[in-house]
Amino acid sequence: MLDFETCNAARIRRDPSFDGMFFTAVRTTKIYCRPVCPVKHPLTKNVSYYPTAAAAEKAGFRPCLRCRPETAPFSAAWNGTQTTVTRALRLIEEGALDNGTVDELSAKLGVGARHLSRLFLRHVEASPMQVAKTVRIQRAKRLLSDSSLSITEIAFQSGFGSVRRFNAAFLELYGRSPSSIRRPKA
């Protein structure tokens, strides 16, 4: 966290280079703002500074309706729809689509399935199911090269619902069976 004098000077100048680095809380109004907020400057004796919007809210301040501090740089809102896609990718990596559906995933994210698919096409250039398939194949490939599990065990541990789908996915991507990809042990 920056010191009080640095934050105060940046607030008075409305310096955009400090936007998102700290938040100004005004004790008399119980409102917190970004350093670039266009409102009349409060008295310095009534001001305190917080490193995050969450810290200001925890201290009992509410966000300014004019500068909208929740949209400050480095916040999730600043990243826009990329934040939703990033959360979805993390859930897919954790196996959300191994046994679930795109509808269930989109419900967890608070968006519709069609909207989630559009976001994936815009940011990832692939559908959620295509991403899940790639994640499963990558898991399986690691297990094939790093473990001595049977092909059947690898298929189920990597998230495939059946050995047939597992074999078909490998044949489609690599043009060969999973057992032919397995490295022989030295």
Side-chain angles (χ1 to χ4, degrees), residues 70-129:
E70 70 278 3
T71 63
F74 315 114
S75 71
W78 183 263
N79 295 329
T81 56
Q82 180 63 45
T83 301
T84 303
V85 173
T86 302
R87 287 178 54 220
L89 289 170
R90 190 182 71 248
L91 290 170
I92 289 170
E93 183 71 38
E94 293 169 1
L97 293 181
D98 291 348
N99 297 318
T101 65
V102 174
D103 287 330
E104 292 167 349
L105 174 63
S106 63
K108 282 182 189 175
L109 297 168
V111 297
R114 288 183 63 204
H115 184 61
L116 183 63
S117 294
R118 283 192 300 269
L119 292 178
F120 263 72
L121 287 176
R122 182 184 319 148
H123 295 287
V124 185
E125 296 184 16
S127 72
M129 290 307 289

Side-chain angles (χ1 to χ4, degrees), residues 8 13 20 24 76 80 126-127 137-138 159 183:
N8 204 46
R13 286 190 319 269
T24 305
S127 72
I137 289 174
Q138 289 170 348
R183 289 187 186 140

Side-chain angles (χ1 to χ4, degrees), residues 19-98:
D19 195 15
M21 296 179 73
F22 69 88
F23 295 88
T24 305
V26 183
R27 286 186 280 278
T28 53
T29 61
K30 293 305 238 176
I31 292 174
Y32 73 95
C33 299
R34 295 161 57 178
V36 296
C37 189
V39 299
K40 180 181 173 208
H41 288 298
L43 296 173
T44 301
K45 69 179 185 177
N46 296 328
V47 172
S48 55
Y49 298 103
Y50 292 93
T52 64
E57 287 176 13
K58 182 180 177 204
F61 295 94
R62 58 189 167 82
C64 173
L65 296 176
R66 194 151 178 205
C67 70
R68 298 191 48 215
E70 70 278 3
T71 63
F74 315 114
S75 71
W78 183 263
N79 295 329
T81 56
Q82 180 63 45
T83 301
T84 303
V85 173
T86 302
R87 287 178 54 220
L89 289 170
R90 190 182 71 248
L91 290 170
I92 289 170
E93 183 71 38
E94 293 169 1
L97 293 181
D98 291 348

